[in-house]
Amino acid sequence: MYSLLRPLLFLLAPETAHHVTLSTLQAAHRVGVLPLLHQCPQHNPCTMMGLTFPNAVGLAAGLDKNGEYIDALAALGFGFIEIGSVTPRAQPGNPQPRMFRLTPAQAIINRMGFNNHGLDALIRNVQHSRFVTSPDAVLGINIGKNIDTPIENAINDYLLGLRAVYAYASYVAINISSPNTRDLRQLQGSRQLHDLLTQLKSEQKKLADQHGKYVPLVLKIAPDLDSEQVTEIASLLLRHQIDGVIATNTTVSRTSLEHLPQHIEAGGLSGAPLREKSTAVIRQLADVLQGAIPIIGVGGIMSGEDAVEKIDAGASLVQLYSGLVYRGTELISECADAIAAVKTTSQSDKRVAG
């Protein structure tokens, strides 16, 4: 069905189409017809970070920044939902237009700039969600810093975010890799990241004692890191006992897209051209981490085969966003079923070998 609707949606500006799609999903969910519009993936649970995921395919942050559509999105069959990025205070983000389709390349450029309604609004939306009361619910909350917070004070915003969302999140994702907030990626530097993780882990321990539950911390990193930087980050994740890593955010690279007029737009590139870069980072992380920390693979997943590629590279879970724009919700079950089939085959091979 999405193949029929997509040409109509693509007549709209990308950000308008984004809001129309989410509002339509919300309406379909409220009247109970959403289950008729898509095929749910197999229930193939996997456990990591102390959490049980109904399947290995999640929604990446950025699509539902304010947690306004949690229940409708969860009904599509995702194994987990990640909302945000949310900043302590509401902010409008960058001026429009700030999202661009590169349709021939199945890609999107965005420079949204952490536009969101702030922590208080997000928490209200989470509190009103039925999904979070489900025993199978896994909700990640992705936190960032306000644009007017100096980079040297960024830790204050992350601590505010962590304290505010801790009671409501299954895990908290620390976004230090968006290219659309000035200087944010500096936090991936070895010294800056060491200081950030030291304070976040200390706060996590205090909050775990306060709330009587342990909420994992997951770091989201960029694809535009060299080999030495990826190794340094992986080593710091191990040193600070961070619970997981998301690889990767969007890229500032425009390699092989020079023939498309909109490649000159500033912002982060997602979609099919990101696939190889994100997979390469996953593979290098896996080489260093050796299974000690789970990797969530995201970037350029446009098919079940792409999802399996991320798993083969070392990811335990995957997330979708831009692929949904080009393929629709059928991509969720396609990826979940493809991963489940590979894992079943691998387990069978191990039994035979044993």
Side-chain angles (χ1 to χ4, degrees), residues 275-317:
R275 179 179 60 82
E276 291 185 7
K277 286 178 73 72
S278 67
T279 302
V281 173
I282 292 167
R283 189 171 289 112
Q284 187 178 353
L285 284 170
D287 286 343
V288 179
L289 298 175
Q290 291 294 306
I293 295 173
I295 301 167
I296 301 174
V298 54
I301 298 175
M302 316 301 287
S303 68
E305 291 79 7
D306 294 341
V308 169
E309 179 185 67
K310 296 284 196 266
I311 300 297
D312 288 343
S316 300
L317 305 165

Side-chain angles (χ1 to χ4, degrees), residues 151-164:
I151 195 66
E152 60 269 20
N153 298 332
I155 183 58
N156 297 329
D157 279 10
Y158 287 104
L159 290 174
L160 283 170
L162 180 59
R163 291 170 189 144

Side-chain angles (χ1 to χ4, degrees), residues 106-303:
Q106 292 190 297
I108 295 171
I109 292 173
N110 92 81
R111 52 172 180 264
M112 304 299 286
F114 283 173
N115 57 306
N116 72 101
H117 298 160
L119 282 167
D120 291 343
L122 179 138
I123 289 169
R124 285 195 298 271
N125 291 331
V126 172
Q127 290 172 328
H128 292 146
S129 167
R130 293 183 178 180
F131 170 70
V132 297
T133 65
S134 166
D136 291 334
V138 179
L139 179 70
I141 302 182
N142 186 302
I143 60 176
K145 84 168 190 73
N146 279 109
I147 192 169
D148 58 355
T149 300
I151 195 66
E152 60 269 20
N153 298 332
I155 183 58
N156 297 329
D157 279 10
Y158 287 104
L159 290 174
L160 283 170
L162 180 59
R163 291 170 189 144
V165 307
Y166 192 91
Y168 307 97
S170 303
Y171 70 86
V172 178
I174 312 301
N175 188 348
I176 58 170
S177 51
S178 170
N180 300 317
T181 296
R182 190 181 59 173
D183 298 332
L184 185 70
R185 288 189 171 191
Q186 290 182 17
L187 296 175
Q188 296 176 120
S190 182
R191 182 183 60 80
Q192 296 93 329
L193 185 56
H194 167 71
D195 292 342
L196 180 73
L197 297 182
T198 297
Q199 295 192 60
L200 286 171
K201 284 299 291 187
S202 176
E203 189 64 26
Q204 180 193 38
K205 184 179 186 306
K206 294 176 185 176
L207 291 167
D209 292 339
Q210 177 183 336
H211 292 277
K213 69 169 186 173
Y214 182 86
V215 176
L217 288 181
V218 178
L219 188 73
K220 186 166 187 175
I221 66 172
D224 306 307
L225 300 164
D226 62 32
S227 178
E228 182 179 349
Q229 290 173 311
V230 174
T231 298
E232 287 179 348
I233 288 173
S235 299
L236 284 168
L237 294 173
L238 291 170
R239 177 178 175 183
H240 290 280
Q241 297 182 316
I242 299 301
D243 302 286
V245 56
I246 300 174
T248 62
N249 213 315
T250 57
T251 180
V252 296
S253 171
R254 300 293 188 267
T255 302
S256 79
L257 298 175
E258 293 84 357
H259 62 291
L260 299 176
Q262 288 186 312
H263 87 278
I264 62 172
E265 297 290 350
L269 175 79
S270 60
L274 177 58
R275 179 179 60 82
E276 291 185 7
K277 286 178 73 72
S278 67
T279 302
V281 173
I282 292 167
R283 189 171 289 112
Q284 187 178 353
L285 284 170
D287 286 343
V288 179
L289 298 175
Q290 291 294 306
I293 295 173
I295 301 167
I296 301 174
V298 54
I301 298 175
M302 316 301 287
S303 68

Side-chain angles (χ1 to χ4, degrees), residues 1-6 9 21-22 24-26 28 33-41 55 57-59 63 72-79 81 301-304 320-337:
M1 178 176 288
Y2 183 72
S3 61
L4 300 176
L5 294 175
R6 197 185 86 170
L9 288 171
T21 301
L22 287 174
T24 303
L25 282 175
Q26 186 90 299
V33 301
L34 199 54
L36 304 177
L37 303 179
H38 71 100
Q39 178 183 359
C40 275
N55 66 65
V57 180
L59 175 70
L63 194 142
L73 291 166
L76 297 175
F78 286 108
I81 302 289
I301 298 175
M302 316 301 287
S303 68
L320 309 176
Y321 185 164
S322 297
L324 298 171
V325 174
Y326 286 98
R327 290 287 317 281
T329 58
E330 69 178 30
L331 183 61
I332 304 166
S333 57
E334 180 180 319
C335 291
D337 293 345

